[in-house]
Amino acid sequence: MLDPKPHTASQRPRSPGAIAAGEDWEALPDVDEFLAKLLSSSLKQNSSMPRKTEQLLVQGSNKPVVSNLEENVRGYDWSTHKDRNSLDQEKLQIERQRTLREFCANSSFTFPTKERSFDDIPNYELNHLIVDDRHGVIYCYVPKVACTNWKRVMIVLSESLLDQGVPYRNPLDIPREHVHNTSTHLTFNKFWRRYGKFSRHLMKIKLKKYTKFLFVRDPFVRLISAFRSKFELENEDFYRRFAIPMLKLYSNHTNLPTSVSEAFGAGLKVSFSDFIQYLLDPRTEKMAPFNEHWRQVYRLCHPCQIDYDFIGKLETLDEDAAYLLQLLKVDRLLRFPPSYRNRTASSWEDNWFAKIPLAWRQQLYKLYEADFVLFGYPKPENLLKD
């Protein structure tokens, strides 16, 4: 049976200085002590898990119905990859965390917002931190890094969404439109509405007690994936918000169709070159922060302010996901949905960037350098030299 309480140090990786359930809270300031007790009591109240949820999930799942074009672009893969070699996950995690902490502590390596404290992060920048109080888990989601399925897992764990009065048990049964509905998830930026002036204190307690994880991906490959899914597929919202301005600014188009279907029918599509110009254009950030699908991971998840217990990578998704679910003690409750085939492979970078001027590639690397360095991705030297 699953233990619904946050896991102690013997059960999961824990950040240095983390406080486990049952340890002495007297050392904390009065308000933190009060909130800690409040948190503990709420966890106990939320631990009455329906018996159905404790049963093993049915292995056969109904995959969502997707079009052939979407299947091709998004790269769905419903095989189970049982034959893959298992990695030495513990050593891998130690190495990933060591790399991250070394560069966060390295004063000669700088990037925007690196030096600020957790208290300096505005609430609206904490909207990617999803909290599951039932199991003591915090997940920072990064779009284009299997976040749809990880959100599904968080919904199953937190029982935040019901199907005919019963919590979802199988992640793939959860419709995609519900997965990305912001009302479905409890995120840190909602704490102010729920807890008022205690919100920051409560965040810090949960950051100490809970298992915190994120999944990352080669930054340039993530950009290619974002471009393909948002501008090669018909997406009305992204067409109006981003494609129309890009086509006007960088392709000198005027009198553009108001709908994406008309635009696609007329052969009017954003090029990858348009997209790169948009990212490098200083006016873009002045208008609004980068959209989450191409915003840097360090801006989404604040890895130098939050001490993550687990760093997963899309390149090793199957192995990382299985190991993480074991660490969380929920591997008998659910399994990670069959993963995306990495269609947007690193080997594609040469082709995608072939027509992008060298100077642009170098600027783009500087823009995403922190993500490359912090998460141990090699510098793409072949793209940055003549």
Side-chain angles (χ1 to χ4, degrees):
M1 185 179 295
L2 180 68
D3 179 3
K5 297 179 182 177
H7 305 301
T8 61
S10 62
Q11 295 171 305
R12 65 166 179 86
R14 199 178 70 186
S15 310
I19 298 178
E23 289 183 6
D24 187 5
W25 290 94
E26 295 302 320
L28 293 174
D30 290 345
V31 66
D32 283 1
E33 180 183 355
F34 165 75
L35 289 169
K37 290 177 179 176
L38 181 67
L39 173 60
S40 297
S41 64
S42 68
L43 279 167
K44 290 174 183 175
Q45 291 171 9
N46 289 334
S47 66
S48 55
M49 186 179 301
R51 295 200 60 81
K52 284 186 179 180
T53 311
E54 295 176 6
Q55 298 171 2
L56 290 177
L57 289 179
V58 178
Q59 295 300 305
S61 305
N62 293 324
K63 65 179 181 180
V65 177
V66 291
S67 69
N68 289 337
L69 177 60
E70 184 176 2
E71 180 96 9
N72 182 56
V73 171
R74 292 193 186 279
Y76 290 106
D77 182 7
W78 308 106
S79 58
T80 56
H81 302 296
K82 288 181 180 178
D83 296 332
R84 291 196 179 181
N85 294 328
S86 60
L87 304 174
D88 190 336
Q89 283 287 340
E90 189 172 358
K91 288 182 180 178
L92 200 59
Q93 283 303 314
I94 291 171
E95 177 62 24
R96 289 174 182 174
Q97 292 180 48
R98 182 190 65 79
T99 298
L100 177 58
R101 288 165 186 159
E102 281 185 1
F103 282 107
C104 283
N106 186 342
S107 59
S108 63
F109 178 65
T110 60
F111 56 87
T113 73
K114 180 191 176 187
E115 301 302 325
R116 67 181 178 180
S117 68
F118 178 74
D119 286 329
D120 294 329
I121 303 172
N123 279 340
Y124 67 84
E125 289 188 25
L126 298 172
N127 62 330
H128 279 242
L129 292 157
I130 297 176
V131 182
D132 167 30
D133 285 321
R134 305 185 87 253
H135 304 92
V137 179
I138 296 172
Y139 163 50
C140 184
Y141 73 89
V142 179
K144 308 313 303 172
V145 191
C147 80
T148 300
N149 280 341
W150 277 116
K151 284 182 177 181
R152 284 183 167 119
V153 167
M154 294 297 285
I155 289 170
V156 171
L157 292 179
S158 63
E159 300 190 355
S160 60
L161 194 62
L162 304 180
D163 179 25
Q164 297 180 340
V166 178
Y168 280 98
R169 292 182 289 149
N170 189 331
L172 278 180
D173 287 343
I174 304 170
R176 189 180 184 87
E177 62 269 22
H178 296 333
V179 174
H180 296 294
N181 187 328
T182 56
S183 65
T184 304
H185 307 278
L186 172 62
T187 57
F188 263 16
N189 71 319
K190 294 180 181 178
F191 273 41
W192 185 256
R193 293 199 297 271
R194 182 174 290 196
Y195 302 110
K197 65 181 180 180
F198 296 119
S199 59
R200 282 286 160 151
H201 291 285
L202 199 53
M203 287 180 202
K204 289 179 180 178
I205 289 173
K206 294 189 181 193
L207 287 172
K208 288 178 180 178
K209 293 187 67 169
Y210 288 10
T211 303
K212 304 163 292 295
F213 77 93
L214 79 166
F215 272 73
V216 296
R217 182 181 196 175
D218 178 289
F220 277 7
V221 178
R222 179 173 169 244
L223 285 181
I224 296 169
S225 179
F227 171 78
R228 297 187 73 207
S229 69
K230 298 306 174 188
F231 300 110
E232 286 191 345
L233 295 173
E234 291 190 13
N235 186 309
E236 199 69 55
D237 182 44
F238 276 75
Y239 173 72
R240 292 179 179 177
R241 289 170 60 198
F242 302 108
I244 288 178
M246 287 183 205
L247 289 167
K248 287 181 177 179
L249 283 170
Y250 313 119
S251 292
N252 297 317
H253 286 293
T254 54
N255 301 318
L256 289 161
T258 55
S259 75
V260 68
S261 58
E262 289 180 76
F264 274 40
L268 295 169
K269 292 185 180 181
V270 168
S271 69
F272 190 58
S273 176
D274 294 336
F275 180 54
I276 299 303
Q277 286 186 80
Y278 170 81
L279 296 175
L280 297 177
D281 192 332
R283 293 171 293 183
T284 300
E285 281 281 10
K286 289 179 181 176
M287 295 282 288
F290 273 10
N291 178 268
E292 62 178 13
H293 290 85
W294 45 85
R295 196 180 311 164
Q296 297 91 330
V297 176
Y298 77 82
R299 296 171 63 189
L300 295 172
C301 296
H302 320 290
C304 288
Q305 290 78 23
I306 295 173
D307 197 4
Y308 285 94
D309 301 294
F310 189 95
I311 302 166
K313 292 190 174 185
L314 190 76
E315 294 81 3
T316 50
L317 176 60
D318 296 313
E319 298 88 347
D320 291 356
Y323 183 60
L324 175 59
L325 294 180
Q326 288 174 17
L327 290 175
L328 297 176
K329 306 292 185 186
V330 297
D331 51 313
R332 295 192 72 250
L333 179 65
L334 53 72
R335 62 172 183 149
F336 189 75
S339 66
Y340 293 103
R341 180 167 51 253
N342 194 5
R343 285 184 176 271
T344 313
S346 297
S347 60
W348 288 20
E349 287 182 333
D350 290 343
N351 293 334
W352 279 91
F353 285 97
K355 295 180 181 179
I356 304 299
L358 177 62
W360 293 8
R361 288 183 238 157
Q362 293 169 337
Q363 291 177 55
L364 192 69
Y365 177 75
K366 292 301 295 181
L367 197 58
Y368 289 88
E369 182 179 29
D371 283 357
F372 277 98
V373 173
L374 293 173
F375 300 109
Y377 286 100
K379 188 174 182 177
E381 299 286 0
N382 58 315
L383 299 179
L384 305 176
K385 295 177 182 176
D386 281 323

